[in-house]
Every structure is written in C-alpha cells, then in structure tokens.
Amino acid sequence: MRYLDGIETNPSVEADNALIIGTAAHTALEKGLDVAIREYAFKFPIITDEHINEVIKLQSVIPKAKAKLPTEGKFEVPIYHKDFIGFIDYLVPLDHGEYILFDFKYTANPDNYKGSKQLHLYKYFWEKLNPGKKIVALYYLFIPKTSIRQKKNETLVEFRARLQEDLADKEPTIKRVDYDINKVIEFLFSVKQTLEAKEFPKNEDFLCRWCEFEEYCKKGWDYFMKLPENKRRSMDAVKRRVIWIYGAPFCGKTTFANGFPDPLMLNTDGNIKFVDAPYIHIKDEIVQEGRITKRTFAWENFKDAITELEKKDNTFKTIVVDLLEDLYEHCRIYMFDKLGISHESDDPFRAWDKTRGE
C-alpha cells in the first residue's frame, strides 16, 4: 500500500505511538531530554495528559539508560551499501580497529527481539563498507517501558504517583547478541522473494497493531465510503411506503390502517376495539414486588418492540404506530426521569435537544 500503491495515511495522534516515542527515546540518549521532549511534543497537534505521562516515563528511565552506555561512542552511524541502508544507534571504538555496537529498544517485551536480524545485518554490511575494521560485540540496550493505565476511580495525581513508583523499579538492561551469518542469508533470501513477488497476501500477526494500514488491510477498501454509480434509480424498485394519517379522533384512522397487509399495531391509546390486527399496547408498566415498585416506561417498551422488529424474525409487512403524538409524550416523560427534571425548561441548555434526539 505504501511503496507500490503510494497510499498515505494520516499521522498518528496517539501519545504512545511506538515510532514517535521510540524516536524520542533515541533522541534523548543522543541529544538530551530537553531536545527529545520538545521534538516529541511538536509531533502532535495538541498535548494532553497522556502525552505528559509519556514524558514522565522518559524522564525517569532515560538517565538510567544513558548511565549504562560507555562513553566516546558515536550516535546514528549510517550504513549506505548498494544492497542495504541502515543506521547504527551507537558505535563505540576500541583499539586496533575494533568496535562495539549498541542498538536501543524502548520496550516492555525484550523477548520480541530474540529472532531479529537487525544487528547481524548492521555488522555484516558495516564491515563490508569498512575493510580492516571489525565489530566484535553486538548489544541491545533495553529501555524498560511501563504500560500501566489510569484506573477509572483514580485521579491523575494518584495515577502519576503510582506511575512514579512503578518506574522507580524499572532498570535498563544490556543484552549481548551472538552474531549469526545465517540471519544475513535469511534476510537476503527474503529480499529476493519480495523483489520477485507478484502478489501480496495478508500476513497478519501481533505486529499489525503498530501498522498505520491496519484498518484498511483488515476491513478492506469496501469498508470506506464510495460514491454511488452515476445512474438514476428506478422508482418502480421502491416498494415500501411511509404514510402519515392525520385526522380528528374517531374518524377512522386506525380502521383504515387495519386494512393494510399483515399489520402490527404499536398502540398507545387502547383504541383497538374495532380492529382485528395483532397489537402491542405501548404503555407504562408498574410491578409491585413487596415494598418495591418497579416501573417500565412506555417509551422503553416501544424501543423494545422496535428492537424485536429489527431482528426480522417475523412476517409482518406493515407497522402501524398509533398514536404518534402519544409516543412523543412518552419519550418526554422517559427523558424527564432520566435527566431528573419535570419539564424541559428545568434544564433549558440540554433537555430540549436530548428529548428531540431521543
């Protein structure tokens, strides 16, 4: 999608975006926390408490991580080979043309990098570009990431205090990696397969959650809006009708509606004496259980009926709502109870819109 189709996605605004927060950790080790925090903040259109939480994490773990590194090393060492481009996070010179390589990982799961080919490739291609020089040791610097979240019943101050306690126990670790030339061979074979590939089937795994194309890939292009075909619709295809019958009481509205095919009447006024269609009486229901009175509002019963009809597990062809103005009153009473008011004017900033919206 990115490289062949040239599709771009909107930049992430998540505070813990793996790429952005990982870059911030690298920058903090190289240029200092102040620079890293400023660059991190400028990646987002707005800064929230979530972003500040991520900054607090960096401020706690980065000084401890930097203390683990040997001095006199060089950051961001480029590798520009005709078959490979990469950047070594930290390269430390020893004597006689020998070097130690460090790669930084800001992660809560160091085990995820056990099978990584990255450091093996860095060593192989850097040595190709620097004849006579040798990288004698490969290391990961794992910077611990905490993933604790603020609880619903926890204030921000309480959460940040708990966060600081959790971070106090977090210590960066250095893990040595034994060089394996087979990792380089596997990589070159995979590149060959990629270059020769004609089809690109989905390859779903746990890494999908960090891919900006995840939604497109999993839901498909049909999930997103498409314009309809520029073609007029045939009016003959419209078979359903919505009819509003207005008239004085007892002028025959319900009797007229009774003549439609396979009707179900959602009736509010109990006026079903002269019709034979099946009906549901939309009314308040009050049940006394000992000293407790339980009330189900008419509006709730109406919504339950609609829910059942939407399941399409029935043979009704006509739905008669009788009377519509009664339903609006039932809706008002239901919302009054929900909002704790007796009239819309008791809460003029919300009640009218909430009732109309409901």
Side-chain angles (χ1 to χ4, degrees):
M1 291 180 179
R2 178 192 293 158
Y3 298 109
L4 299 186
D5 297 334
I7 296 167
E8 296 182 356
T9 60
N10 291 329
S12 172
V13 294
E14 298 298 326
D16 60 351
N17 176 274
L19 179 60
I20 296 175
I21 200 69
T23 300
H26 283 62
T27 303
L29 288 170
E30 181 182 358
K31 301 177 182 178
L33 274 167
D34 290 343
V35 175
I37 292 169
R38 184 165 60 252
E39 291 184 4
Y40 169 76
F42 278 122
K43 297 287 186 181
F44 303 97
I46 189 170
I47 298 299
T48 68
D49 288 332
E50 293 293 328
H51 297 84
I52 302 302
N53 293 341
E54 295 302 323
V55 169
I56 291 171
K57 296 174 189 178
L58 290 173
Q59 289 172 326
S60 176
V61 296
I62 291 299
K64 291 187 281 188
K66 195 160 188 176
K68 297 275 186 179
L69 290 174
T71 57
E72 306 303 325
K74 187 176 181 181
F75 290 93
E76 289 292 299
V77 177
I79 303 172
Y80 292 117
H81 189 273
K82 65 183 180 67
D83 294 324
F84 182 83
I85 296 174
F87 294 88
I88 298 172
D89 287 343
Y90 196 58
L91 194 63
V92 181
L94 302 176
D95 296 329
H96 311 298
E98 294 183 340
Y99 294 80
I100 298 176
L101 180 152
F102 286 87
D103 193 75
F104 311 144
K105 297 299 180 189
Y106 186 33
T107 178
N109 300 293
D111 289 344
N112 289 344
Y113 297 94
K114 283 182 177 179
S116 173
K117 303 177 182 66
Q118 185 178 8
L119 302 194
H120 309 272
L121 294 165
Y122 284 173
K123 170 180 164 63
Y124 177 82
F125 285 106
W126 185 85
E127 290 178 350
K128 283 281 188 184
L129 291 171
N130 297 274
K133 297 181 179 180
K134 190 174 182 63
I135 295 176
V136 296
L138 307 174
Y139 291 99
Y140 278 122
L141 171 60
F142 289 119
I143 306 168
K145 180 190 289 187
T146 181
S147 56
I148 64 171
R149 301 286 183 182
Q150 185 175 352
K151 300 175 182 177
K152 290 184 178 179
N153 60 346
E154 190 176 38
T155 66
L156 185 60
V157 173
E158 291 170 337
F159 167 68
R160 286 182 176 167
R162 186 165 63 89
L163 179 62
Q164 294 283 15
E165 289 178 8
D166 183 72
L167 289 167
D169 297 329
K170 301 288 185 185
E171 285 294 333
T173 57
I174 292 179
K175 175 73 174 176
R176 182 161 183 165
V177 177
D178 294 326
Y179 178 63
D180 184 355
I181 188 63
N182 290 318
K183 296 285 187 183
V184 179
I185 296 171
E186 290 172 11
F187 171 78
L188 294 174
F189 271 116
S190 68
V191 170
K192 180 178 182 295
Q193 291 171 349
T194 301
L195 292 172
E196 295 173 352
K198 301 299 181 185
E199 296 180 358
F200 302 90
K202 292 181 184 180
N203 182 24
E204 296 186 39
D205 62 18
F206 73 98
L207 293 172
C208 289
R209 74 185 80 169
W210 290 289
C211 176
E212 67 264 39
F213 293 95
E214 180 185 19
E215 189 176 17
Y216 300 87
C217 184
K218 288 187 174 179
K219 294 180 179 178
W221 295 112
D222 291 340
Y223 169 76
F224 298 91
M225 180 180 289
K226 288 185 177 180
L227 294 175
E229 184 182 1
N230 184 11
K231 183 179 179 181
R232 290 189 179 273
R233 295 176 296 113
S234 171
M235 296 304 293
D236 294 337
V238 181
K239 296 181 179 179
R240 296 186 180 183
R241 297 287 185 271
V242 177
I243 300 176
W244 189 331
I245 305 170
Y246 180 83
F250 296 99
C251 69
K253 301 184 298 295
T254 304
T255 304
F256 176 61
N258 188 57
F260 282 90
D262 297 327
L264 170 67
M265 295 200 171
L266 305 180
N267 182 267
T268 63
D269 63 0
N271 181 26
I272 39 84
K273 184 176 180 180
F274 301 106
V275 296
D276 58 4
Y279 72 95
I280 298 174
H281 197 174
I282 305 300
K283 62 177 182 176
D284 290 352
E285 293 180 357
I286 299 175
V287 178
Q288 193 77 27
E289 296 181 357
R291 296 183 178 182
I292 300 175
T293 301
K294 292 186 176 181
R295 179 180 184 180
T296 302
F297 287 95
W299 182 250
E300 294 176 280
N301 288 328
F302 171 72
K303 291 204 296 183
D304 287 343
I306 297 300
T307 299
E308 287 300 315
L309 286 167
E310 286 178 335
K311 294 177 182 177
K312 296 182 169 57
D313 186 20
N314 64 78
T315 57
F316 295 112
K317 296 178 181 177
T318 307
I319 307 301
V320 181
V321 181
D322 181 24
L323 299 163
L324 201 60
E325 61 264 36
D326 286 352
L327 269 183
Y328 182 74
E329 288 304 311
H330 287 317
C331 179
R332 290 182 69 217
I333 294 168
Y334 168 78
M335 290 304 295
F336 291 168
D337 180 77
K338 196 171 181 180
L339 297 171
I341 59 177
S342 58
H343 189 267
E344 288 94 341
S345 60
D346 294 338
D347 188 1
F349 292 102
R350 300 188 308 157
W352 298 100
D353 276 345
K354 281 188 173 289
T355 300
R356 185 163 55 245
E358 174 69 20

